Amino acid sequence: MTLDAIRTVAVLGAGTMGNGIAHVFARSGYNVILRDVETRFLDSAIETIAKNLDREVKKGKIAEGDKPKVLSRIHTTTDMSEIARSDFVVEAVPERLDLKLSILREAGKLLRPEVILASNTSSISITTLAAGTNRPDRFVGMHFMNPVPVMILIEVIRALQTSDETFQTTMSLCERLEKKPVAVNDAPGFVSNRVLMPMINEAAFAVMEGVATAEAVDTVMRLGMNHPMGPLELADFIGLDVCVDILDVLYTGFGDSKYRACPLLRKMVAAGRLGKKSGRGFYKYER
Ligand SMILES: NC(=O)c1ccc[n+]([C@@H]2O[C@H](COP(=O)([O-])OP(=O)(O)OC[C@H]3O[C@@H](n4cnc5c(N)ncnc54)[C@H](O)[C@@H]3O)[C@@H](O)[C@H]2O)c1
């Protein structure tokens, strides 16, 4: 599939990432088919997109008249067969290998042969996913960052099977979204989580060992290293359960004890202190 032939993009999953991905494609002029399993998820995605567009209007990022145009480009559906007319597909369903494989197989059967399938997984092997589809050479990782409309980076991950053409088209497509694509080969955690998660883990160890409080660790990293957010505040934002899951992927993927998840993180997850989403993690949040 050539870049210019891509007009309609299907986004599978309308959750945190899916609504952001639909937003940025529609904002860049693409028609979007946003698919989820229930209408209520789609309604809430459109509500979120509308709110985020309002924020962009306020900030002067888009003109007021652009909001209805962007929204009109997003078609929502619970019917998977509607994705048959799409020219590019981004999968953003929950992080479960079995679920992703079954959706990618179902999508592969519906799509024209030349259509590229991309996954937004944060930790599953792109090579494994590619092997489970009917188009391994037209399969690629497209790792958007949260919140998608704001964050510039996209890690573009090459599976062992990804063709040069698929890779180049995807890189160029990211630029059309006014994002910065960075090429990464498939390896556990790619680059983002391989570098970020050990830092978060080490920060948690420092708290567990009584080296400093969470506030002190975060202050050192914010004021001393110029990070906009401390690692523990960031961990709360990502979700401590998600952090532990990703550390486990690194631990098993590399077979290296340096990725062993901090016992304090596991304990907090067991207690339901998952971070911002549960109202309490390293910090407390108003709900
Ligand atoms: N949340 C993040 O910060 C983040 C960042 C980068 C990548 N990711 C990755 O993005 C993916 C999605 O994560 P999320 O945080 O948006 O999850 P989420 O739970 O917010 O959203 C997933 C959506 O997929 C829907 N879904 C489930 N089965 C489906 C199906 N068969 N067809 C279509 N939709 C279906 C769910 O109803 C839900 O709305 C995961 O692979 C995750 O690892 C997440």
Side-chain angles (χ1 to χ4, degrees):
M1 176 68 77
T2 61
L3 185 61
D4 289 333
I6 300 173
R7 297 275 165 82
T8 300
V9 175
V11 179
L12 308 178
T16 309
M17 298 305 285
N19 82 61
I21 296 167
H23 177 142
V24 297
F25 273 107
R27 191 173 67 192
S28 294
Y30 291 93
N31 299 314
V32 174
I33 302 167
L34 181 59
R35 196 259 166 171
D36 208 303
V37 282
E38 285 183 39
T39 314
R40 65 191 168 106
F41 300 133
L42 294 165
D43 292 345
S44 114
I46 293 297
E47 213 174 286
T48 304
I49 295 169
K51 249 189 247 157
N52 290 339
L53 287 169
D54 282 336
R55 194 169 304 146
E56 290 180 356
V57 171
K58 262 194 208 131
K59 283 189 181 162
K61 190 167 178 176
I62 59 167
E64 193 153 4
D66 288 343
K67 181 186 165 188
K69 282 188 208 150
V70 172
L71 285 173
S72 72
R73 291 188 198 113
I74 304 173
H75 168 74
T76 59
T77 184
T78 53
D79 178 2
M80 185 73 155
S81 68
E82 286 204 48
I83 73 160
R85 61 190 166 85
S86 60
D87 309 312
F88 192 95
V89 178
V90 183
E91 168 279 308
V93 301
E95 191 76 342
R96 282 189 8 234
L97 177 64
D98 55 342
L99 176 68
K100 289 203 189 275
L101 282 175
S102 91
I103 284 158
L104 292 169
R105 278 200 196 105
E106 194 185 348
K109 280 186 209 145
L110 294 164
L111 299 168
R112 301 194 306 285
E114 68 273 24
V115 172
I116 296 171
L117 257 174
S119 174
N120 182 51
T121 177
S122 13
S123 62
I124 298 173
S125 158
I126 300 298
T127 304
T128 303
L129 291 177
T133 70
N134 64 354
R135 58 193 73 215
D137 59 319
R138 280 145 290 148
F139 194 85
V140 70
M142 220 177 168
H143 189 207
F144 289 84
M145 305 290 132
N146 184 21
V148 181
V150 177
M151 301 296 277
I152 303 293
L153 177 76
I154 303 176
E155 273 184 301
V156 176
I157 302 122
R158 281 191 89 134
L160 198 56
Q161 309 93 320
T162 306
S163 71
D164 288 344
E165 193 196 341
T166 297
F167 176 70
Q168 282 312 335
T169 301
T170 308
M171 292 288 282
S172 307
L173 186 60
C174 293
E175 277 161 11
R176 292 225 170 150
L177 299 178
E178 292 175 48
K179 300 282 184 195
K180 171 72 188 162
V182 173
V184 174
N185 285 318
D186 188 24
F190 315 133
V191 170
S192 51
N193 284 322
R194 183 175 182 168
V195 174
L196 174 65
M197 287 301 157
M199 181 181 69
I200 287 175
N201 206 35
E202 206 55 41
F205 270 112
V207 172
M208 187 181 81
E209 292 167 10
V211 178
T213 61
E215 290 83 355
V217 170
D218 279 350
T219 305
V220 167
M221 298 306 286
R222 271 191 296 106
L223 303 185
M225 317 301 157
N226 242 358
H227 288 199
M229 201 187 253
L232 298 171
E233 192 187 352
L234 180 57
D236 271 1
F237 182 71
I238 294 169
L240 302 189
D241 52 338
V242 175
C243 292
V244 168
D245 286 348
I246 297 174
L247 282 160
D248 285 344
V249 167
L250 293 170
Y251 181 81
T252 44
F254 290 111
D256 190 331
S257 63
K258 77 175 172 183
Y259 299 109
R260 173 178 75 107
C262 173
L264 174 62
L265 285 176
R266 285 200 197 280
K267 210 199 267 188
M268 290 174 77
V269 170
R273 295 183 189 174
L274 307 180
K276 200 158 185 258
K277 64 186 166 190
S278 72
R280 186 163 181 189
F282 285 98
Y283 300 92
K284 283 189 182 156
Y285 302 87
E286 298 283 326
R287 305 193 70 196

